């Protein structure tokens, strides 16, 4: 993998962790050796599933950009190019883990079971949040966060709760940090981008994660750009090194290599759940599309930069790997058909998503019924009825 340099600053370590080279050949970097054992139990059907996940989400993602252009979505945030790290990391999580995504984690959400139409519904403006996090079908995938960095605080708080649950179960009611961490039932994973690391929330969340040995894994997808701001404007050192300073175990991986994402996330999550403290992954990747459909990236980045990353497309690369394992042409042809069918079905469903009534705005303000909300709902009903009375 060639170094990423912006304004003459080298933003990569000499050797980010990776198992696959740019063409998808199995060629682990020296830094990958200590994580290789995490891949031992994977079989070909797992890897094929990862590929199917990536092509399905890419087809859906492309469809959503079209839907926005046709006026059917208010906005769309493409994740094209970032599916590789996401699919490996999502598959390294366990059912009991909780995930706190930002707005570009479509592959993560899909792998955890969130319906693609629920993801698109938020961008169509027909839901206040997206999906019901308490519904087991949604795999403990929390809602997309648009307020940059706030999800890092949510994740640290949630992981501190996981510590407290474990302490309670062991007979203690104090969350006070001890010398030793404590094993927990699940871990927490938070996702955000390189630009978000400039928000104080991210640094604060690492202070608490480290102090309380909270079982949280930070996944920072360094896709090189925060809208039009290049990563070297955000940091003059590789960003994962900041996490080391907060006392998290932290590494930089090739974020377009699903195997690297899986192996490191699995190791760090096992350590977090064992009470050995938080971890941090900087996944080097590239946003191949626009920041959102409101953005025109040709105004701030060079065509050859995009081209150099197109050659490292995580899906093409993983396809190369699967082919080297002997996976047949039929599988890829069938995967393409399945992905098209999934995107087409999502498109049809998105177009018929029900419009919510105005009274739904009161539904999620409090978790329990609340007299203030009841009064406001009643006021709205009277107000709406007044139009009928006046014959307007
Ligand atoms: C607190 C806050 N400040 C500013 C914004 C506006 N904003 C939305 S996305 C974005 C850039 C984020 O870049 P990065 O964290 O690298 O993530 P990426 O979009 O590249 O995945 C900004 C500044 C926001 N949503 N929230």
């Amino acid at each position: 993998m060639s170094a990423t340099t912006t304004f003459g600053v080298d933003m990569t370590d000499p050797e980010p962790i990776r198992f696959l080279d740019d063409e998808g050949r199995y060629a682990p970097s020296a830094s990958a050796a200590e994580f290789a054992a995490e891949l031992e139990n994977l079989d070909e059907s797992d890897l094929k599933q990862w590929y199917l996940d990536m092509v399905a989400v890419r087809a859906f993602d492309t469809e959503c950009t079209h839907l926005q252009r046709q006026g059917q979505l208010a906005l769309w945030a493409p994740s094209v190019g970032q599916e590789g790290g996401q699919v490996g990391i999502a598959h390294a999580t366990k059912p009991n883990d909780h995930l706190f995504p930002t707005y570009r984690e479509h592959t993560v959400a899909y792998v955890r079971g969130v319906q693609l139409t629920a993801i698109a519904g938020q961008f169509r403006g027909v839901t206040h949040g997206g999906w019901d996090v308490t519904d087991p079908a949604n795999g403990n995938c929390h809602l997309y966060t648009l307020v940059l960095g706030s999800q890092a605080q949510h994740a640290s708080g949630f992981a501190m709760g996981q510590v407290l649950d474990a302490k309670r179960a062991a007979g203690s009611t104090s969350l006070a940090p001890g010398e030793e961490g404590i094993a927990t039932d699940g871990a927490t994973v938070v996702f955000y981008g390189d630009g978000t690391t400039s928000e104080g929330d991210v640094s604060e969340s690492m202070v608490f994660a480290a102090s309380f040995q909270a079982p949280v894994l930070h996944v920072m997808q360094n896709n090189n750009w925060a809208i039009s701001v290049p990563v070297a404007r955000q940091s003059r050192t590789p960003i994962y090194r900041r996490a080391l300073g907060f006392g998290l175990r932290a590494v930089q991986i090739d974020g377009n290599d699903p195997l690297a994402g899986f192996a490191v996330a699995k190791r760090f999550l096992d350590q977090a759940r064992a009470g050995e403290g938080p971890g941090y992954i900087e996944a080097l990747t590239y946003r191949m599309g626009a920041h959102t459909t409101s953005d025109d990236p040709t105004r701030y980045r060079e065509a050859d930069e995009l081209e150099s990353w197109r050659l490292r497309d995580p899906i093409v690369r993983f396809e190369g790997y699967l082919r080297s394992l002997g996976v047949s042409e039929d599988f890829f042809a069938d995967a393409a058909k399945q992905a098209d069918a999934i995107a087409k079905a999502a498109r049809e469903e998105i177009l018929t998503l029900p419009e919510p009534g105005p009274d739904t705005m009161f539904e999620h303000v409090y978790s329990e019924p609340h007299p203030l909300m009841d009064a406001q709902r009643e006021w709205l009903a009277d107000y709406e009825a007044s139009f009928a009375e006046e014959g307007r």
Side-chain angles (χ1 to χ4, degrees):
M1 181 174 190
S2 56
T4 304
T5 55
T6 321
F7 301 132
V9 180
D10 185 355
M11 297 304 294
T12 61
D13 259 1
E15 250 196 338
I17 295 165
R18 71 169 188 183
F19 291 90
L20 302 180
D21 70 12
D22 289 349
E23 278 75 43
R25 286 179 292 250
Y26 190 79
S29 58
S31 53
E34 63 170 303
F35 294 94
E38 305 297 342
L39 302 178
E40 273 167 15
N41 292 327
L42 288 174
D43 60 30
E44 197 176 290
S45 65
D46 296 319
L47 304 177
K48 284 176 162 172
Q49 184 59 51
W50 298 8
Y51 182 83
L52 289 170
D53 292 341
M54 288 195 288
V55 291
V57 173
R58 174 131 346 154
F60 159 75
D61 198 321
T62 307
E63 192 61 56
C64 284
T65 293
H66 296 158
L67 283 166
Q68 194 281 335
R69 296 299 185 229
Q70 292 157 12
Q72 298 295 342
L73 297 182
L75 182 79
W76 180 244
S79 68
V80 174
Q82 297 187 212
E83 300 93 340
Q86 286 191 27
V87 82
I89 291 167
H91 277 286
T93 57
K94 289 189 173 172
N96 231 9
D97 295 338
H98 281 252
L99 291 82
F100 289 77
T102 171
Y103 43 75
R104 211 186 291 287
E105 270 69 73
H106 313 319
T107 310
V108 171
Y110 180 67
V111 169
R112 292 295 295 193
V114 176
Q115 295 292 308
L116 293 172
T117 40
I119 298 173
Q122 196 172 178
F123 292 90
R124 188 164 162 89
V126 294
T127 152
H128 294 293
W131 50 88
D132 179 359
V133 179
T134 63
D135 180 344
N138 290 321
N140 297 327
C141 184
H142 290 251
L143 302 182
Y144 277 7
T145 302
L146 276 75
V147 182
L148 299 177
S150 56
Q151 75 273 31
Q153 305 271 28
H154 303 158
S156 276
F158 197 90
M160 287 163 67
Q162 289 170 316
V163 171
L164 187 57
D165 283 349
K167 288 197 167 179
R168 280 219 178 106
S172 164
T173 51
S174 163
L175 179 60
E179 288 293 307
E180 303 281 325
I182 187 164
T184 51
D185 277 347
T188 300
V189 191
V190 58
F191 297 86
Y192 52 86
D194 42 284
T196 301
T197 63
S198 294
E199 289 283 345
D201 296 39
V202 172
S203 298
E204 290 162 22
S205 75
M206 287 195 276
V207 172
F208 280 85
S211 294
F212 288 86
Q213 288 293 282
V216 61
L217 173 63
H218 285 238
V219 177
M220 191 274 281
Q221 293 170 85
N222 177 351
N223 66 12
N224 282 267
W225 292 92
I227 315 185
S228 57
V229 180
V231 64
R233 279 270 184 268
Q234 311 274 358
S235 177
R236 294 280 166 170
T237 63
I239 296 175
Y240 84 96
R241 288 193 202 156
R242 291 187 194 162
L244 294 171
F246 285 102
L248 278 68
R249 59 175 63 80
V251 295
Q252 195 178 52
I253 69 165
D254 179 335
N256 283 4
D257 175 357
L259 295 179
F262 178 84
V264 176
K266 187 168 178 306
R267 172 76 53 84
F268 282 6
L269 285 168
D270 283 345
Q271 288 170 323
R273 287 187 220 95
E276 293 168 25
Y280 192 101
I281 295 174
E282 174 174 4
L284 298 171
T285 182
Y286 196 73
R287 157 169 69 71
M288 281 161 59
H291 170 73
T292 66
T293 43
S294 302
D295 169 48
D296 173 8
T298 62
R299 295 181 64 151
Y300 55 83
R301 64 185 192 189
E302 303 293 334
D304 42 344
E305 179 183 286
L306 175 61
E307 190 49 34
S308 75
W309 282 92
R310 220 190 279 283
L311 298 172
R312 291 179 243 168
D313 183 321
I315 295 183
V316 178
R317 197 168 159 191
F318 204 60
E319 184 172 328
Y321 176 54
L322 291 181
R323 282 181 193 281
S324 76
L325 297 179
V327 171
S328 73
E329 197 57 53
D330 288 353
F331 169 77
F332 296 109
D334 193 48
K337 271 196 212 139
Q338 280 188 46
D340 279 352
I342 288 169
K344 188 163 177 276
R347 178 189 173 86
E348 281 161 14
E349 276 181 57
I350 289 164
L351 294 175
T352 58
L353 283 173
E355 302 259 329
D359 57 332
T360 57
M361 75 175 118
F362 305 115
E363 275 171 13
H364 304 292
V365 182
Y366 293 94
S367 56
E368 308 277 326
H370 194 286
L372 190 60
M373 292 302 105
D374 292 343
Q376 291 186 5
R377 190 183 281 109
E378 218 170 289
W379 180 90
L380 180 69
D382 286 349
Y383 176 70
E384 285 180 329
S386 71
F387 289 90
E389 280 161 19
E390 290 165 21
R392 284 193 264 164

